[in-house]
Amino acid sequence: MDRDERIELGVDLLAHVETDELSLSDAVDRIETVTTSPALTREILDTAELRGVIDREEGRIQTRRGGTFVRFESQVVKRDGDFDCRRCGAGLSTGHFIRFDAGELGPFGSSCIKKVLGRE
């Protein structure tokens, strides 16, 4: 995945976070499923803010949830195999992958996918 694809995937992820507000560290935790590069993380946050996906204020991220959320029935795909969770690194026999317009993100375990999307 190239730099531009990672930026688009990171912005898509932030657009689909199902909570109104996050700490900056929680937002970075989610972005780290796309990249661990501090420069690219900053670029994802800047791009998301420029596009009106988020607002940043005093170490907090406010999402602008204009009806965007992940539909688990159609946007999350389960695959059996030998995977490592992108969030926590645990070994998985079933990986959960999120399909965004910009591409697919995963694999995640069943609890990590909920945390990444803000459902927990």
Side-chain angles (χ1 to χ4, degrees):
M1 191 178 325
D2 72 15
R3 182 178 190 82
D4 291 338
E5 290 171 325
R6 288 184 187 278
I7 291 169
E8 292 305 315
L9 198 53
V11 171
D12 255 356
L13 176 60
L14 290 173
H16 287 83
V17 169
E18 297 182 24
T19 185
D20 292 329
E21 185 176 281
L22 295 167
S23 68
L24 182 58
S25 65
D26 285 341
V28 169
D29 179 58
R30 286 160 172 82
I31 294 169
E32 285 179 340
T33 65
V34 177
T35 182
T36 56
S37 162
L40 195 51
T41 297
R42 218 173 359 264
E43 195 167 343
I44 289 168
L45 288 167
D46 290 346
T47 301
E49 187 172 28
L50 284 171
R51 291 184 186 171
V53 172
I54 62 168
D55 287 319
R56 290 189 279 185
E57 189 176 311
E58 298 178 14
R60 306 283 307 162
I61 303 288
Q62 292 185 332
T63 58
R64 296 184 183 173
R65 297 175 37 195
T68 44
F69 58 93
V70 170
R71 298 181 193 283
F72 268 72
E73 305 78 35
S74 61
Q75 287 179 272
V76 175
V77 178
K78 293 182 192 178
R79 293 190 192 114
D80 292 329
D82 186 22
F83 304 108
D84 292 323
C85 179
R86 282 191 73 103
R87 182 176 177 276
C88 73
L92 305 169
S93 58
T94 301
H96 296 77
F97 298 80
I98 309 166
R99 288 186 177 161
F100 292 118
D101 290 340
E104 192 172 85
L105 184 60
F108 298 104
S110 58
S111 61
C112 280
I113 195 168
K114 292 175 185 172
K115 288 179 183 176
V116 167
L117 294 173
R119 289 193 178 183
E120 270 189 14

